[in-house]
Structures are given as structure tokens and as C-alpha cells.
Amino acid sequence: MSISSLLTGWTVPSKHNEDHPHKYSITGDILAFKQCKRQYGYFKVRGFSSATATDRYFGILMHDVLDRINRDYQLTSTLPDHTEIKVLVAEAHDRLYRSGIRSYDPRTQQERAAKLIDRFVQLIGSQFFPNIRETEYRLERALQTHTSRDYILTGVVDVLSGAVSHALGLHFSTEPDDIEIWDYKSGTIPDKGSRELRDYEYQMRVYAELYQQQNGVYPSRSVLVFVGELDDDTRWTVAKADPTMFPSLIYVVHPHPSHIQTAMDDFHQTVEDIETERTKSYHLQWEAPTHSVKQQTCEACDLRFNCTNYATGAKRRSDPL
Amino acid sequence: MPISVKAYLDALRNTTSDGTLPLNTDQERAIRHNYTEPLWVIAGPGTGKTHTLAWLVFKRILVDDIPPHRVFLTTFTRKAAAELESRLLFNCQKLIQGGLTEAEAIDVLSIQVGTLHGLCSRILQDQRYDRTLRIRILEDELTQQFFIRRSNNLLLKCDDISFWDRFGFMKPNDRYPPTTAKRAENVSKLFNRMTENDVDLSAMLASGDPDFTTLAQAYQAYQQELDKKHRTDQAHLQRHFLDFLNTPQGAAWLGSGLTVLVDEYQDTNPIQEQIYFKLTGTSGDLTVVGDDDQSLYRFRGATVEALVDFDHACTHYLSKTPTPVYLHENRRSHPKIVEWVNRFITYHPEMSDPRVRVRAPGKPPLVCTSDIRGNYPAVMAISRTTNPLASQQVAAVIQDLVAQNLIEDLSQIALLTFSTRETIRGISAYTDALSNAGIPFYNPRNRIAQRDQRFQEMIGALCWILDPSGATPLPASLPRGVPEYIAATRNAFQDLIMSGSYPDLGTYVSSSQGAIQSAHIDPAKSRNYLTRTGGRRVTLSHILYKLLAHEPFATSMTDPAAGERLKALNLILSEYESLYDDGELKIETGPTGSQIEKWTLYNIQAVFIEGIHDGLNDPEDDEVSVQEGLVNVMTIHQSKGLEFEVVFVLRPDKQPFLGDTHALEDTLDPYVRWPTKPAIRRPARLRAAEDAVRLFFVAYSRAKRLLILTGTQVRDWDRVLGQDGAGAALNQKSHLQRIGVHFL
């Protein structure tokens, strides 16, 4: 007997979709996806754990030490010297090491971090730290793509006030009550016109828009710091604490409304692309991108031995170990 | 400027298309409640507690003038937290669209919403609390057990059967103490409970009782190791947060207290209770929402008394009396299912006790307000002499529902059970029947991932690379079952290679074996590591990814089931490696060249492989619990918070039993520092009975249109059926038919 004969008055229930909007981090999701959707999909969405932690280690180490210097400065109004920075780096390393965040050749990485931070502090510390208004300021807004898809976009920046860029002798005009939002990259500035640099510009413009949505006004400018630029020993020797000798250290992005709109459109589209990937069948998801990916990114990727975008990996697949 | 309650309720009316208030009388009462007194919301299944909570948050902000960032809203799972956050966003948009301009100024995303663990972690990081800066969290029990193994906790060496028996870890017929792996599992349960119950270590040490002295010393050693390794388990994360709140830094952050709203309060443990009251400060602005009848997590330290005796806790901490509000209008289920659920929980001899509160006081029965009607028997049963016979009927019913277009998608059907293990003692008859009938299903908690062929082949490949002969003498004997599992995986890999289909994989494995054998050993060094060209040390994870690049694993990575299982392997390996030399492989001189160092090999087998060999849950997507297009098979625990049109409750004879959880509650009781601990505790036998009743209450109340109990021997279902309205037992088919159950 069919069960339907028992179900007098049964109404066919419609399928209920309780999907909620996804939260996307500007660097952890949007930029990571734009860099390589395969790497992003496997490690960020599916949640694989990378066997290569080197990049993560260095970035966290730099961040933690700069953060600590700032906190100490807010309390004591003094900046650490070379020796003290080494101690701070060692302490930050110890925390990372004990908790299992490791690096290939940690001693070299620590020395490099201490050198870069020391030079950063020497070069712009006295203008930078006194003007920090808020570190790790959380930007978070609910947005909609052009297809009316809801999502939440998040980012973290430092907020500075007081025309720091002016104090650093940068070439544009500033006012004393300017608000700037700053973000840091531990590497060097990408080539002019490169896809990578364009994505960083988009990132800073989107930060400016989120800041505006949260505070009602745009920041005067967004500032990217490429701390890796300070790694040039020859230049450092001749610079003699003159910031202008490192023209690529600080990269300023102005919040021009039409540029911001372009960046926002690009991010909305990236969210759409990510969502589209999510809805694909499992076996079709997160294929290698068709655009070129930075060689450094591929070489550090655990998936490189089976990736259509990295032919060298396939050749090395059969190498032992 | 705050708005009046009336203006707020008017704004809520503007959010609906017909201008009616989107709240029933009980919900409105909760919303209207004055925030200066605690609010005690007892919310039965399907009564809209999340809906109420979300609107209550906006009342606090708009009417009571609480800044959004001072609202602290927690729930039990990340999925529920994401849903709450989403609701807050959309509710705010609805208010704005309804014309409430004051809502435009609300920064919804500054509301602190999440699981308690998530919020603790975030706040500690934001506040740069020195003790937890960059601390690594042991995310789950298996990782915690790895840590306990790695730190050689002294209880791992405890061979005293009476010690293990005292804490409920021995079964009546056990003749030997637990294996090392089992000890690590038991120790993690003991330590978590000790942390959550804030046990008095000094009293334990001074007790003169050798078992408690040993336990306290082992716990202290564990805490020291956590500090040394800069790690925390989930229970200690809460401890750190409470300690932070008690520092001047924490006090400055907290100020006079937050607006605290807690969902699923029935599953709160004592340390969480202390955190919530501490966060509330002296303001009294604490709202708890929950259902004692749905308390499921005693085994993880939850104390249903936190909700049932919430009035006592408020008196203790705040010298205030909470206002109880009962949400009892069920909008989820067919009237006959509501009737069944009410009868089950009300007429149950084990759910009332004149000496203690077993259920929340004054709780009314559920009232059905669902628009699901239809004059049919919504509660049915399938009883056959064997499970295979019953399972065939289940498959037939599902096929019929599909064929007759009575459902839109298979995901509207759930098979719920106490344990989803696909074994003969479990529910294999049912999953086999679905397979045989061609009905696709999803069973993420079946704990058989380790038996998956591809999974075994991968373990086998790793074993063949690390130990080509499979006969390297180890420095200690392996835990029971591990040698057999390793042998099975080696055979699986050998069969794969012998098939001749994967020559590249075979070449890679044999060349890697050769590379290890010919690796250079520097006798001057106390430790030698396996390295790649360029000098970089090789880890097991590196080899795993290399293997994943070869067929057949590369293709398996694109299959949802196999791919997710291989990911689970990757994650467990990653946690293992973070504790064991970063997974870097040490080498030594062997009889025929270099080989993996014996202790390295031993740890990989005795800890990592042991950790997965006898039961590994399939991983779950945190955001999608219900898989579309598939019948979802899940534990009743997993179904909490979900609802399905058709629910089969499989094998009602399989129920929670008296176990180590109840023994631990009793044994540790003299040392527990829980300020609001009830004066009387029911015997363990009755507490176990409560657990069974609550579990099946949850199962029954998931059903919207049809509930079907399925198994053998109705007389064995006894406890999960309750009594009829006259107090008579229900343990025969005729009894159930008498109260309206239709047998298929």
C-alpha cells in the first residue's frame, strides 16, 4: 500500500533555503582568490592545511613586533633601539615557535625581521608611532554585489592622524588633521602596471570606502608600506635616515570616488566569482586559474606538483620525497 | 536618542507586509522586558527563540539605548552564530526599510556575536592579553590527546586498574588497564571536566587520597606543559578569559558590564556560567534562552541545572530575581507530532522528582500554531523482527514519498539515530537498504572514514615509504589494533600498485624509499634529518602532498567523499606534526643503509596512525549541515537546531547509557567549585535516564510533517516512548496504536 493513501490533507513542502551571506576578508579571501583561485579554494574554503608555513611565519612575526612597539610607545613614548628590537623579535619568535608556527631557517628570518623593523623605526618611527590613532581598526560592512547578493566584507587597518605623510616629506600636500589608513606588506613593491600592484591599489580603495561607510568621511589617503624595500643594504648605507631615499617604501593611494567605484565593482565581481565556484560540482571547483600566477606563489604552493598552471611542478612530481 | 517601546513595536509592524506584529504574545513579553532585571526565556522546540533573540537585540539598542558594541550575544555552534549575525543584518535592513530612521545609525557588525569560545579568543587577541597572545588552541579532542601523548603526562603510565575504575573508565569485564591511546582519551575527559568545574586542586592534593593526589599532580603537569608550549585547550581558553576579566585590564574593558544574551543556555557549564555573570557585571542585563528538555551535552560538561535553576544563580550573583517567559507556541510541526512530544516529556516517570528540579519550573506544554495540518496519522512506526526487514520498509516509504511527489527534495528526509556507525550493531542495515534501493544518502558522522579504500591506500603508501620492509624493530610495542590496521593499509597500497594502473605512483614510492636508504648520515651530528635537494628538511606532510599529486589520489581529490576524507587526514597530520618535531623526519643508520629513526617511526604509528585507525568521523562543512539531493543520516546530537519534513528515528533500542560522564560527575563532586551547585544530585542511573529522554525529545521534535519510529521489538523502546496520559507504560504495539500511532 502506498503511504500516500494514508496522508490525507498532506501538502507538499517546498524546499527551504537558509543560506546566509558569506563573510569575506579583503586579503584572506578577495586578494587570495584573485592571486590563485585553486590555492584559495583548497586552503581557505576546503580547509586543507599547508605543509609550508614560511610565508605565514614571517608576516606574523613582523606584525607582532610592530604591534608590540606601538603598544609600548603609547605607554612610554619611547622607541626601541636595535638591541631592544632584537629582543622583541626573539620574544615574538618564541611565542610562535612554542605554539607550533614554524619557519624554514628561522634564524635568518628573525635577523631579516629585526633588520627591517629596526630600519623602519629609524627611518619613520618618530613620525609614525606618535600619530597612530588606532591599530588593527576593524572595517566590516554588509554589501551587495550587482546581482543583489548580500555579503560581508572585512578588513583590518591602522588609522593614523596628523599628516604623517607630510612629516615624511612625501610630495603631496597635506593638512594637520588628515586621517590616513595604513597597511603593511612585508615584501617589496610589485612592478608598476602589474596585476599585483593593481590589486593592492584596489584593496586600499576598498578600505577607504569601508572606512567612509563606517565613519561618514573618506580618509585623506590610504598608505601602503612595503617594508621589504628596506632590505637594500647599499641604499640604507647611503640613505642616512632620509626616507626619500626609499621612494618605493610608501605607496599612497588617493580616494578618488571614480577609482573607488571601479575597485568596489571589481571586488563585487570577485565575490560573484567565488560564489559561482562554490556552487559548481565538487570536481569542477577550484581549478587552476587561466591567468598567470607569480612564480613565487606557485613555488610555495603544496599543490604545485599537480597544477595545470605550473608545468615545472608536474615535471618534478616523480622526484623522490 | 532612544525610542519608546511603542515606537519600536510600531516599527516591527512596518516590517511585515500585513502590518501585524511579527511576535506572538510570549515573544512580545520577552521583548518588552525591562533590561535591568535578568530575563529567563524557556523556549520549546520550534517556538522561534532565534527570531525573538534577534528582535530583542534591537530593542536593547533602540529602546534601552545600549551601544551595539556593548551587546554580547552567544550561541552554541559557529553555524548558529553565523545565522544569528545574518538575521541581525536583515532585521536592521527591515527596520530601515520600514521607515525607522534611528536604525540607520546602528552598526550591526559591531555587535559581539559568536560562540563563547570564538568571542573569548577574539577579545583576548584584541585586548592583547599577554598570557594568550598568539596562543595556539587545541581545536578538538584528538588534538588534545596528541598533546597529552606528546607531553608524556604521568597518567599515561598509570597501570592501576582501580584508578581508572574509580573514574568510570573500566567496564565490568575489563581485566587490563586501558591502552595508552585510551588513557589519553580518558585523561582529556578528566582534565576538561576539572577545568570546566574549577576543581579545587589544593583540596585534592591535601586529601590524602592517593588517586586524587595523582590526578591533581597530573593536571598541574598538564597545565605547565600547556604554558610551556604556549597552547590552550578549549576549556582552558574559557579559564583564561575569566582570569582576564579579573585583571585590571579586563575590568577596564568590561566597565560596568555588558548586555549579555545567551542562546542554548541549557548546555552551559559552570565556568561559562561564571563568565556570563561576570560579563553582566552589576547591571543585571542578562538574558538566557534555552530549553532544558533539549540539553544534550552532559558528556562535554554541560549542566542543565544552569537553566533549570537560573533563578537561584541570579539570586547568588546579582541578588535579583529573573523574569521567566515561556515560549510555547510551536510553529514547526503537525499537531499530532506536537501532541506526541508533549505526552512524551510530560508523562515520563524519570522526568519528575519531588526533591529536585528535573525540568524548568512552571513550563507549559507546547501549543501547535503551525499551518501544517492534514487529517493523517503524523506519528507512525515500523517494527519488524529484524533491522534488515525494518530497513526495507524505510527504503520503500522513501521511494514512495519521492514517486508520489510528496516531497521536493530528498534532503527533506532525515534518518536520526543515537549512533550512526555503519556496523551490524549500528545502522548498517539501514544504509545498506538505502544503497540497494538506489537512494542517495549522506552520513557524515559514520566514523568509518578510516576504512575508506583510498584513505587506506594513502596510509599504506606513507607506510611503504617510511618503512619499506614493514619490519623495522620499534622501541616499544604498538597499541592494540594498530599493527593490524597498518598491515591492512600496506596490503591496500600493494594491491593498488599490483593492479598495474598506477606506474608513476609506484615509481615515486620506490624512488623515495631509495632516497631514504641512500640519505647521508653525518656521524658527528646527534640528530640527522631527511632532506631534499637544497637542504630543506622533509616532513610527512610534504610527502602526503606529493602523493596527492599522483593518480589515483589526484582524481580522488576531486570526489567529494574521498577528497574530504583525504583532507581530514591532512589536518590530523598537521596537528600531529605541530607537536612532533614539525613532522621533520629523523634518520639513522640501519642494516641496509639509512632508515627512518625508530622513535620517529614509532610515534607516527603509535600516535598519528593510532589516532585514526579505529574510528574517524567524516569531516563536515561547518556552514552546510544538510546536503541537498540526499537523505541526511545523522546523529540526534547533530540534528539539534535543524528541522525536516520527514524524520525516521532509527533503532530506538539504542540509547545513551550510564557511563564515565556520570561517574565523573559524582567522583569529582567533592572538589567542584561551582558557586551555584544544586544541593542535591539525582543518582547517576536517573541522570542517564534523563539524557536518553532529552535526546529522543530532540529527535521527535525535529519532525515537521511525519515522524516514523523504526526498529525491532517495541518492548525495548520503553524509555523513549514514555507513558500514556493515564500514566500507563507504553511497551507494546497495541499500546502505541491506542494513542494514535499508525504501524506501517
Side-chain angles (χ1 to χ4, degrees):
Chain A
M1 184 176 67
S2 167
I3 194 168
S4 60
S5 63
L6 297 168
L7 302 178
T8 312
W10 176 278
T11 48
V12 180
S14 57
K15 207 168 67 175
H16 195 48
N17 184 6
E18 287 202 4
D19 206 12
H20 53 78
H22 288 118
K23 191 180 272 195
Y24 291 107
S25 145
I26 290 175
T27 50
D29 292 294
I30 306 289
L31 293 190
F33 177 86
K34 284 161 78 78
Q35 189 172 45
C36 174
K37 70 173 181 178
R38 179 171 162 82
Q39 202 178 58
Y40 169 76
Y42 273 86
F43 294 104
K44 192 69 202 280
V45 181
R46 289 193 181 162
F48 277 82
S49 173
S50 170
T52 316
T54 312
D55 290 350
R56 192 167 156 247
Y57 167 88
F58 190 72
I60 296 173
L61 188 68
M62 291 284 290
H63 168 275
D64 284 3
V65 176
L66 284 168
D67 184 59
R68 173 67 190 275
I69 291 171
N70 174 54
R71 280 185 289 136
D72 289 351
Y73 183 85
Q74 303 307 323
L75 291 173
T76 65
S77 296
T78 58
L79 290 170
D81 62 18
H82 178 69
T83 311
E84 288 164 335
I85 286 172
K86 276 195 159 179
V87 172
L88 293 178
V89 170
E91 284 176 5
H93 161 79
D94 180 59
R95 268 195 300 272
L96 296 184
Y97 187 82
R98 285 191 293 136
S99 68
I101 299 175
R102 305 292 167 83
S103 155
Y104 175 62
D105 197 2
R107 184 167 297 176
T108 306
Q109 303 260 30
Q110 281 181 77
E111 284 171 4
R112 181 163 179 259
K115 180 172 81 173
L116 295 178
I117 291 168
D118 184 33
R119 290 179 178 179
F120 180 82
V121 170
Q122 282 191 52
L123 203 64
I124 65 169
S126 57
Q127 288 87 26
F128 174 75
F129 290 103
N131 288 294
I132 290 184
R133 226 163 97 167
E134 198 158 356
T135 55
E136 302 211 2
Y137 179 72
R138 207 184 296 272
L139 297 163
E140 195 165 59
R141 303 312 296 169
L143 302 171
Q144 261 190 355
T145 67
H146 50 271
T147 64
S148 300
R149 186 195 299 278
D150 293 295
Y151 72 104
I152 298 167
L153 191 61
T154 70
V156 175
V157 290
D158 283 352
V159 178
L160 279 77
S161 64
V164 184
S165 300
H166 180 72
L168 295 175
L170 298 178
H171 55 82
F172 45 83
S173 63
T174 60
E175 298 296 332
D177 58 351
D178 278 357
I179 294 290
E180 297 177 351
I181 54 175
W182 284 48
D183 191 32
Y184 317 90
K185 306 287 175 194
S186 52
T188 55
I189 193 165
D191 293 337
K192 200 171 178 182
S194 67
R195 180 188 169 89
E196 197 184 0
L197 186 61
R198 191 199 62 193
D199 285 345
Y200 284 156
E201 289 168 352
Y202 281 178
Q203 174 193 348
M204 299 312 287
R205 288 183 178 124
V206 172
Y207 280 156
E209 174 61 24
L210 298 191
Y211 184 88
Q212 187 275 134
Q213 289 195 20
Q214 263 171 233
N215 296 281
V217 290
Y218 283 106
S220 300
R221 62 199 66 83
S222 307
V223 181
L224 258 174
V225 185
F226 292 98
V227 188
E229 290 290 326
L230 297 173
D231 213 3
D232 185 336
D233 292 339
T234 313
R235 190 184 289 267
W236 178 255
T237 308
V238 297
K240 293 193 170 44
D242 175 6
T244 60
M245 288 294 287
F246 291 92
S248 301
L249 172 67
I250 289 171
Y251 189 77
V252 176
V253 181
H254 295 279
H256 192 285
S258 68
H259 291 171
I260 285 178
Q261 191 53 53
T262 305
M264 292 302 294
D265 289 345
D266 183 79
F267 272 38
H268 292 329
Q269 185 55 50
T270 306
V271 168
E272 284 293 337
D273 293 344
I274 295 174
E275 295 285 349
T276 303
E277 281 293 325
R278 283 178 185 273
T279 59
K280 285 182 182 173
S281 299
Y282 194 91
H283 71 286
L284 295 175
Q285 285 179 328
W286 316 119
E287 289 177 339
T290 48
H291 64 78
S292 67
V293 177
K294 219 169 55 166
Q295 191 174 351
Q296 197 184 344
T297 303
C298 292
E299 282 171 358
C301 178
D302 296 310
L303 307 172
R304 66 190 180 281
F305 300 110
N306 180 31
C307 181
T308 53
N309 212 351
Y310 188 66
T312 315
K315 284 180 200 155
R316 286 169 46 199
R317 182 161 54 220
S318 55
D319 291 352
L321 301 174
Chain B
M1 275 291 287
I3 62 172
S4 67
V5 174
K6 182 181 177 306
Y8 181 61
L9 294 177
D10 286 344
L12 292 190
R13 287 188 184 91
N14 290 340
T15 65
T16 59
S17 54
D18 57 359
T20 56
L21 192 65
L23 303 167
N24 62 35
T25 311
D26 300 331
Q27 293 168 336
E28 184 184 341
R29 193 161 160 249
I31 300 286
R32 283 180 175 273
H33 175 72
N34 185 326
Y35 71 100
T36 57
E37 302 294 333
L39 179 60
W40 187 14
V41 182
I42 313 291
T47 56
K49 67 183 169 61
T50 310
H51 175 79
T52 309
L53 255 183
W55 285 126
L56 181 56
V57 166
F58 286 105
K59 190 265 184 173
R60 288 283 179 272
I61 295 169
L62 288 160
V63 179
D64 301 330
D65 206 20
I66 306 292
H69 70 276
R70 302 295 290 172
V71 176
F72 189 95
L73 171 60
T74 75
T75 185
F76 201 67
T77 64
R78 281 179 293 184
K79 182 171 177 285
E83 189 191 328
L84 253 178
E85 192 172 21
S86 173
R87 274 199 195 227
L88 293 176
L89 277 168
F90 290 124
N91 283 8
C92 191
Q93 280 171 11
K94 282 184 193 170
L95 288 171
I96 294 167
Q97 285 160 4
L100 187 67
T101 52
E102 287 83 352
E104 289 172 11
I106 299 175
D107 184 1
V108 176
L109 293 170
S110 70
I111 296 169
Q112 303 188 65
V113 52
T115 62
L116 182 59
H117 288 106
L119 287 171
C120 287
S121 176
R122 177 170 156 179
I123 293 164
L124 289 172
Q125 177 61 28
D126 283 354
Q127 296 301 309
R128 311 290 200 282
Y129 181 52
D130 197 51
R131 281 203 67 184
T132 58
L133 209 55
R134 287 287 174 217
I135 203 163
R136 181 163 178 145
I137 301 169
L138 305 173
E139 292 286 353
D140 55 28
E141 286 96 346
L142 185 57
T143 312
Q144 188 182 17
Q145 289 160 32
F146 282 169
F147 183 83
I148 289 164
R149 298 281 300 269
R150 183 61 177 138
S151 53
N152 284 320
N153 189 274
L154 62 94
L155 284 182
L156 297 181
K157 299 183 192 74
C158 176
D159 294 324
D160 181 0
I161 288 182
S162 68
F163 175 89
W164 299 109
D165 188 42
R166 187 161 183 189
F167 295 102
F169 296 121
M170 301 294 291
K171 295 198 179 82
N173 296 326
D174 285 348
R175 293 169 52 205
Y176 302 103
T179 62
T180 306
K182 198 69 190 166
R183 289 178 201 188
E185 187 183 324
N186 298 342
V187 171
S188 96
K189 283 185 191 173
L190 265 168
F191 288 174
N192 289 341
R193 192 163 285 272
M194 288 168 76
T195 310
E196 287 157 354
N197 285 279
D198 192 22
V199 295
D200 186 342
L201 282 185
S202 304
M204 265 191 191
L205 288 165
S207 67
D209 182 322
D211 287 343
F212 279 105
T213 307
T214 304
L215 179 60
Q217 287 169 342
Y219 182 74
Q220 285 178 322
Y222 171 69
Q223 288 182 312
Q224 286 162 8
E225 279 298 315
L226 285 174
D227 284 345
K228 194 169 143 194
K229 299 280 195 314
H230 204 47
R231 282 167 164 83
T232 177
D233 56 41
Q234 300 280 359
H236 273 90
L237 180 65
Q238 297 171 139
R239 178 77 252 169
H240 285 306
F241 187 64
L242 191 56
D243 290 346
F244 162 73
L245 293 176
N246 287 318
T247 63
Q249 184 190 1
W253 172 79
L254 182 58
S256 60
L258 304 176
T259 288
V260 180
L261 303 105
V262 187
D263 191 12
E264 307 285 6
Y265 196 71
Q266 74 280 359
D267 288 318
T268 296
N269 63 42
I271 198 169
Q272 290 170 340
E273 179 186 273
Q274 289 187 61
I275 288 172
Y276 290 131
F277 277 98
K278 184 78 188 170
L279 285 169
T280 303
T282 53
S283 69
D285 191 2
L286 171 62
T287 298
V288 302
V289 183
D291 184 9
D292 46 294
D293 293 330
Q294 298 184 66
S295 176
L296 298 184
Y297 289 94
R298 184 193 299 276
F299 68 94
R300 286 197 187 144
T303 45
V304 69
E305 294 91 342
L307 180 70
V308 170
D309 295 328
F310 182 64
D311 50 341
H312 299 161
C314 288
T315 303
H316 174 84
Y317 287 105
L318 302 169
S319 302
K320 292 188 175 187
T321 305
T323 304
V325 172
Y326 302 95
L327 305 187
H328 71 299
E329 291 187 20
N330 178 296
R331 292 176 57 86
R332 174 183 294 160
S333 306
H334 187 282
K336 285 181 179 161
I337 295 174
V338 173
E339 188 185 321
W340 168 270
V341 166
N342 275 333
R343 180 207 51 76
F344 170 66
I345 199 72
T346 309
Y347 296 99
H348 209 296
E350 281 147 337
M351 294 305 284
S352 63
D353 192 322
R355 299 167 309 144
V356 294
R357 287 179 185 169
V358 183
R359 300 180 67 209
K363 194 173 184 180
L366 295 168
V367 173
C368 177
T369 56
S370 159
D371 55 9
I372 299 173
R373 299 287 150 160
N375 186 22
Y376 61 89
V379 181
M380 300 189 186
I382 296 170
S383 172
R384 298 290 186 274
T385 51
T386 66
N387 280 300
L389 288 173
S391 67
Q392 286 171 20
Q393 183 63 41
V394 170
V397 169
I398 294 173
Q399 284 177 317
D400 210 8
L401 288 168
V402 174
Q404 303 294 325
N405 293 318
L406 297 175
I407 54 164
E408 268 194 355
D409 188 272
L410 282 174
S411 64
Q412 293 171 311
I413 301 173
L415 271 52
L416 308 183
T417 172
F418 175 49
S419 166
T420 53
R421 278 194 181 222
E422 291 178 18
T423 60
I424 293 172
R425 286 173 171 235
I427 59 157
S428 63
Y430 295 90
T431 49
D432 288 349
L434 295 184
S435 296
N436 294 338
I439 300 168
F441 65 93
Y442 180 65
N443 184 6
R445 288 272 177 188
N446 59 7
R447 290 184 64 81
I448 56 159
Q450 82 285 356
R451 282 173 18 202
D452 174 76
Q453 186 186 347
R454 207 57 90 215
F455 190 95
Q456 290 207 356
E457 288 162 353
M458 174 57 82
I459 298 284
L462 291 169
C463 289
W464 274 99
I465 291 173
L466 299 177
D467 181 16
S469 68
T472 301
L474 296 173
S477 56
L478 290 170
R480 282 198 296 271
V482 174
E484 294 79 3
Y485 182 71
I486 290 174
T489 65
R490 293 179 74 98
N491 288 339
F493 178 73
Q494 196 170 27
D495 291 345
L496 182 73
I497 296 302
M498 295 293 278
S499 72
S501 303
Y502 306 103
D504 289 352
L505 178 65
T507 304
Y508 170 70
V509 169
S510 55
S511 71
S512 296
Q513 289 171 334
I516 293 173
Q517 198 175 22
S518 60
H520 175 66
I521 302 255
D522 182 349
K525 288 184 179 170
S526 60
R527 287 174 182 169
N528 281 273
Y529 288 91
L530 188 63
T531 56
R532 274 195 184 135
T533 311
R536 190 169 279 209
R537 289 175 186 172
V538 177
T539 69
L540 206 50
S541 280
H542 286 133
I543 298 176
L544 177 78
Y545 274 111
K546 215 62 188 293
L547 287 165
L548 288 173
H550 286 83
E551 294 297 353
F553 302 118
T555 298
S556 295
M557 288 279 277
T558 62
D559 171 76
E564 291 296 305
R565 284 169 179 171
L566 290 169
K567 179 185 80 182
L569 182 63
N570 158 256
L571 293 179
I572 294 167
L573 181 57
S574 168
E575 290 296 343
Y576 166 81
E577 291 185 333
S578 79
L579 292 166
Y580 284 81
D581 304 310
D582 305 331
E584 292 172 351
L585 297 168
K586 294 194 198 97
I587 50 175
E588 63 186 8
T589 304
T592 60
S594 300
Q595 63 181 22
I596 299 296
E597 191 243 358
K598 291 187 187 70
W599 275 109
T600 302
L601 191 61
Y602 175 79
N603 286 332
I604 289 169
Q605 297 185 354
V607 181
F608 167 59
I609 296 181
E610 195 287 331
I612 56 178
H613 85 286
D614 71 343
L616 184 67
N617 285 333
D618 267 358
E620 282 178 90
D621 185 336
D622 189 44
E623 294 186 35
V624 185
S625 296
V626 176
Q627 299 292 308
E628 289 191 15
L630 308 171
V631 170
N632 282 256
V633 184
M634 58 179 76
T635 63
I636 300 169
H637 283 96
Q638 197 189 1
S639 73
K640 180 83 173 62
L642 302 174
E643 58 185 26
F644 299 91
E645 303 296 340
V646 180
V647 168
F648 290 88
V649 176
L650 302 184
R651 302 209 59 175
D653 55 314
K654 295 283 180 189
Q655 303 161 16
F657 41 82
L658 189 61
D660 54 48
T661 298
H662 309 95
L664 279 182
E665 282 181 330
D666 290 340
T667 320
L668 293 176
D669 187 66
Y671 302 99
V672 166
R673 290 185 296 195
W674 177 17
T676 60
K677 187 169 74 173
I680 301 173
R681 182 192 295 282
R682 297 182 93 193
R685 174 183 57 80
L686 288 175
R687 299 201 305 277
E690 286 175 35
D691 294 347
V693 174
R694 292 188 179 113
L695 189 76
F696 281 80
F697 179 84
V698 168
Y700 301 151
S701 56
R702 299 310 95 196
K704 293 176 75 176
R705 281 175 162 75
L706 192 55
L707 169 66
I708 307 178
L709 283 72
T710 306
T712 60
Q713 309 297 343
V714 171
R715 65 174 179 274
D716 294 337
W717 305 356
D718 190 10
R719 176 170 286 158
V720 299
L721 295 177
Q723 298 175 332
D724 68 13
L730 298 172
N731 49 24
Q732 288 180 31
K733 185 176 174 180
S734 59
H735 296 164
L736 290 174
Q737 286 170 322
R738 198 174 63 224
I739 60 167
V741 176
H742 181 90
F743 275 75
L744 291 166

